[in-house]
Amino acid sequence: MTENPRLRPLDFQPVNHMGQPMWYLRDPLQLTPYQLIMPQTLAQMLVFCDGTRTPTEIHAAFCRHVGQMVDYAIITDALEQLDKACLLDNRRSQQVQAEMLKAYRAQPHRPPALAGLSYPGEAQALTALLQQYGAGDDLNGWQPWQGRGIISPHIDYQRGGPVYAKVWRRAETAVAQADIVVIFGTDHNGSAGSVTLTRQAYATPFGVLPADPALVDQLATAIGEDAAYAEEIHHRQEHSIELSAVWLHYTYQKLGLEPKPMVPILCGSFHHFVMNGSHPADDAGLTAVIETLRRETQGKKVLAVASVDFAHVGPNFGDNFVMDSPRRAALQTADDNLMTAILRGDAADFYGQITAVQDRNRICGFSSIYLLLRYLDGVSGGRSIAYTHCPADPQDNSLVSISGLLLD
């Protein structure tokens, strides 16, 4: 192995294997069917796989770190397994990604990645499930809403189904009237400040939601083709847009309407803005996206959706505390303040609240909500439809907060 091994972005999940604590190395892009687990001690070598060291230097650094000599063959074997599973950022994994992207673009549309896994893959069964989530929802006194923006969850339906059902049911009139739907979704694996496009139409078990390739091309031109499509392969497996797109398509089916074009936009992390003190308002690429989107949709009835979750807190997310009653109450207050800013259309206040605490609650809709608010450029009001805490571990010590909001 001649290259300096560099680990690709991965998810690390603690598991128990044959009675031993291990780390499961999950590849979000699923470049190969291989699944690797590593003993916790050996997994510490991964911190040295940053592209600056040869295998020999990784071995030396690891031995110093654990305070004892380890057989060099153990390190080289681990690196070979990582390479075989395409978990290293090198020629092998880059070639696999290129082939995967080519295959993705060659498809007639983007197939629903979670159909048959997270929700039923057959339209009739899916309809029954979505109807079940809305059972008992009381619409007495509700007047048809004709607004411009939706905050929808992207958590799994098993936990978030009732919130999806409430917000999308109340958005039916706006869906029916829209000429085009733009969905800003969290790119869980996106580069800092990235905006990732695709010309592929998204399919659901109800059929295919039409794309708007002309608008996508305009956006790509504004930020540069390379930047716009550098991480397009993320659309293949990313669930954030898909889970709201299913409810959008279900709404069209329910109303007996042909779906209008949908533009899916994956939004990368804003963590670098938080940490280095810069601001997305000063980012030329993000500003170009928003200005182009406004210009190219002028005169159209646009429904903008942020497919997002809010806080991710507790031991399951690296915190050293459990989410007891006082912490849950404090979190709800913090989320209420964020939602108030959103309902005012105040992108600056929304951004400022998160950066003031260095995003300690890990808002999984940070960039998507901010860009949606920038695009809407002020709202005349809004209403909160639903809010809840979803358990994120078996002990219910960790949670994800979600919300459904409508913006006028």
Side-chain angles (χ1 to χ4, degrees):
M1 187 176 299
T2 57
E3 298 183 44
N4 289 7
R6 180 195 300 273
L7 203 65
R8 290 182 42 240
L10 305 174
D11 290 337
F12 294 87
Q13 300 176 2
V15 296
N16 190 285
H17 179 66
M18 299 180 67
Q20 298 295 319
M22 300 275 196
W23 283 107
Y24 166 45
L25 279 56
R26 192 186 78 85
D27 179 6
L29 299 186
Q30 302 178 29
L31 299 185
T32 73
Y34 299 115
Q35 297 184 351
L36 295 188
I37 59 174
M38 296 182 71
Q40 289 187 348
T41 299
L42 180 59
Q44 296 175 59
M45 66 165 279
L46 299 176
V47 301
F48 306 113
C49 297
D50 59 1
T52 67
R53 299 173 176 87
T54 65
T56 300
E57 291 168 336
I58 291 173
H59 174 248
F62 176 70
C63 290
R64 288 193 299 270
H65 180 72
V66 299
Q68 66 182 77
M69 285 302 300
V70 176
D71 191 337
Y72 180 59
I74 294 177
I75 300 301
T76 57
D77 179 66
L79 292 173
E80 288 172 3
Q81 295 301 317
L82 291 167
D83 186 32
K84 183 179 180 181
C86 286
L87 301 184
L88 299 177
D89 185 4
N90 57 18
R91 286 187 293 272
R92 181 197 293 266
S93 66
Q94 291 163 10
Q95 179 62 32
V96 171
Q97 288 185 68
E99 293 170 355
M100 190 174 285
L101 178 59
K102 182 178 179 181
Y104 167 80
R105 289 174 172 172
Q107 297 175 115
H109 49 255
R110 182 243 189 225
L114 297 180
L117 298 173
S118 182
Y119 57 83
E122 190 273 324
Q124 186 173 354
L126 178 57
T127 296
L129 177 67
L130 302 189
Q131 287 177 339
Q132 179 182 333
Y133 288 132
D137 182 20
D138 184 2
L139 281 180
N140 287 340
W142 178 261
Q143 298 299 314
W145 176 76
Q146 304 175 49
R148 300 190 295 146
I150 300 174
I151 304 298
S152 170
H154 67 223
I155 201 168
D156 56 89
Y157 298 160
Q158 289 77 8
R159 291 181 288 176
V163 174
Y164 282 100
K166 287 181 179 179
V167 71
W168 283 98
R169 188 177 184 189
R170 286 159 178 77
E172 286 180 2
T173 301
V175 170
Q177 294 179 346
D179 298 318
I180 185 172
V181 179
V182 178
I183 301 186
F184 298 90
T186 301
D187 189 346
H188 290 85
N189 305 294
S191 300
S194 60
V195 168
T196 299
L197 307 175
T198 185
R199 300 180 87 251
Q200 289 287 67
Y202 270 56
T204 79
F206 300 116
V208 179
L209 290 164
D212 190 335
L215 176 54
V216 172
D217 287 346
Q218 290 290 340
L219 293 170
T221 298
I223 60 177
E225 295 273 336
D226 290 345
Y229 298 114
E231 297 176 342
E232 185 183 3
I233 195 62
H234 293 185
H235 278 274
R236 175 177 169 268
Q237 293 290 336
E238 175 57 64
H239 65 272
S240 62
I241 291 175
E242 176 178 336
L243 291 177
S244 283
V246 167
W247 281 89
L248 171 67
H249 210 166
Y250 167 64
T251 303
Y252 283 123
Q253 292 287 112
K254 186 178 178 182
L255 298 174
L257 299 174
E258 288 295 317
K260 297 296 178 61
M262 185 197 84
V263 176
I265 302 176
L266 286 178
C267 308
S269 171
F270 274 8
H271 180 73
H272 63 303
F273 291 125
V274 176
M275 301 311 294
N276 66 23
S278 57
H279 198 288
D282 300 321
D283 185 282
L286 296 178
T287 298
V289 168
I290 296 305
E291 291 181 348
T292 302
L293 195 56
R294 286 182 191 152
R295 183 182 68 247
E296 296 300 322
T297 59
Q298 188 173 8
K300 296 181 179 180
K301 180 72 172 178
V302 180
L303 182 62
V305 180
S307 187
V308 299
D309 296 332
F310 279 68
H312 289 61
V313 288
N316 201 45
F317 304 106
D319 290 322
N320 60 2
F321 52 79
V322 300
M323 291 303 295
D324 55 17
S325 295
R327 288 189 182 277
R328 288 170 185 261
L331 175 63
Q332 178 154 0
T333 297
D335 282 348
D336 283 344
N337 290 336
L338 287 176
M339 290 187 287
T340 297
I342 294 168
L343 292 170
R344 290 200 312 265
D346 194 335
D349 183 33
F350 172 77
Y351 181 84
Q353 288 185 43
I354 296 175
T355 56
V357 295
Q358 294 195 310
D359 195 19
R360 68 185 175 204
N361 290 334
R362 306 176 192 89
I363 305 300
C364 194
F366 189 4
S367 57
S368 300
I369 295 173
Y370 175 83
L371 291 174
L372 175 137
L373 294 177
R374 286 274 304 276
Y375 169 66
L376 293 179
D377 194 25
V379 300
S380 59
R383 58 204 79 183
S384 177
I385 303 303
Y387 173 85
T388 194
H389 292 167
C390 303
D393 59 33
Q395 299 77 29
D396 199 18
N397 289 330
S398 307
L399 65 86
V400 176
S401 62
I402 61 172
S403 179
L405 307 176
L406 298 178
L407 310 181
D408 297 333

